[in-house]
Amino acid sequence: GTVDFALSSLSITEERAKSIDFSIPYYDGNIQLCIRRENSPQDDRTIYRSLDDLATSKVATYTGSSQERALEQKYPKMQIQRMDDDLDMLKSLVHGMCEAVVLDDYTMKYYSKQVGGVEIIDSFGDLSFGIAFKKGKNSELREQFNRFIGEIESNGTLLQMKERWIEDPDNS
């Protein structure tokens, strides 16, 4: 079978744009670093205040993600634990199987509240999510999505959705 589009936290990158056509971004955010609360900057004993402090540590992130590639490039000695499930990443952090988790900000905000015992200590790197289309195909459908995204952005619906589902998921 064929797929008309893919919509699942796909960050728009130059590398991906070589093989995928993207819609305009529907979400702009950043990457966040999360550690166990016992190792947070409020604790004077902590050694983790930024990602640089974890350059040789075990850090979990998504397999095949933009975050994974960025970590590999900037921190070649980092022990990257590649995982496919964000909740599993945070649970492995809480249970001491890794020292930190690197995820996009909206996933981190949502799951860090559910798991507890973790704290976001650093944000870095901009990212934008878009809807992916097969390169050179479905341009009409892509334009329909672009118009829709533009419309809900201009009338405030997109902001309301972000506030409800991302900024304050407990009230959704």
Side-chain angles (χ1 to χ4, degrees), residues 21-61:
D21 287 334
F22 281 99
S23 68
I24 60 174
Y26 63 84
Y27 183 81
D28 293 310
N30 58 41
I31 301 168
Q32 293 189 329
L33 173 65
C34 185
I35 61 172
R36 282 186 304 281
R37 188 162 284 129
E38 67 195 42
N39 291 328
S40 74
Q42 282 88 11
D43 183 346
D44 290 337
R45 298 170 294 142
T46 187
I47 56 172
Y48 306 131
R49 296 186 185 277
S50 72
L51 192 56
D52 289 341
D53 296 331
L54 294 149
T56 59
S57 301
K58 290 182 183 176
V59 177
T61 196

Side-chain angles (χ1 to χ4, degrees), residues 66-144:
S66 300
Q67 296 94 310
E68 177 189 24
R69 282 187 293 285
L71 293 174
E72 288 171 338
Q73 290 173 359
K74 188 167 182 181
Y75 303 102
K77 294 184 180 181
M78 183 175 282
Q79 300 170 53
I80 301 171
Q81 293 183 324
R82 293 156 181 87
M83 302 178 96
D84 296 321
D85 183 85
D86 25 54
L87 194 52
D88 285 347
M89 282 183 236
L90 288 165
K91 286 179 181 178
S92 73
L93 174 62
V94 169
H95 292 26
M97 297 168 65
C98 64
E99 297 300 318
V101 171
V102 174
L103 289 170
D104 56 82
D105 59 333
Y106 84 91
T107 303
M108 192 70 82
K109 288 175 191 173
Y110 181 77
Y111 283 111
S112 64
K113 288 181 182 179
Q114 287 188 4
V115 172
V118 298
E119 186 169 334
I120 299 166
I121 63 163
D122 199 5
S123 296
F124 57 95
D126 296 327
L127 56 82
S128 295
F129 292 146
I131 302 166
F133 300 87
K134 188 173 183 178
K135 191 77 171 173
K137 307 285 184 187
N138 293 325
S139 60
E140 186 177 319
L141 182 60
R142 183 168 53 102
E143 286 308 312
Q144 288 175 343

Side-chain angles (χ1 to χ4, degrees), residues 150-158 160:
E151 180 182 317
I152 64 172
E153 188 170 39
S154 67
N155 69 20
T157 302
L158 188 57
Q160 290 173 348

Side-chain angles (χ1 to χ4, degrees), residues 110 113 160-161 163-172:
Y110 181 77
K113 288 181 182 179
Q160 290 173 348
M161 291 168 64
E163 288 171 347
R164 179 176 180 183
W165 299 105
I166 298 170
E167 298 302 324
D168 195 8
D170 292 335
N171 289 327
S172 55

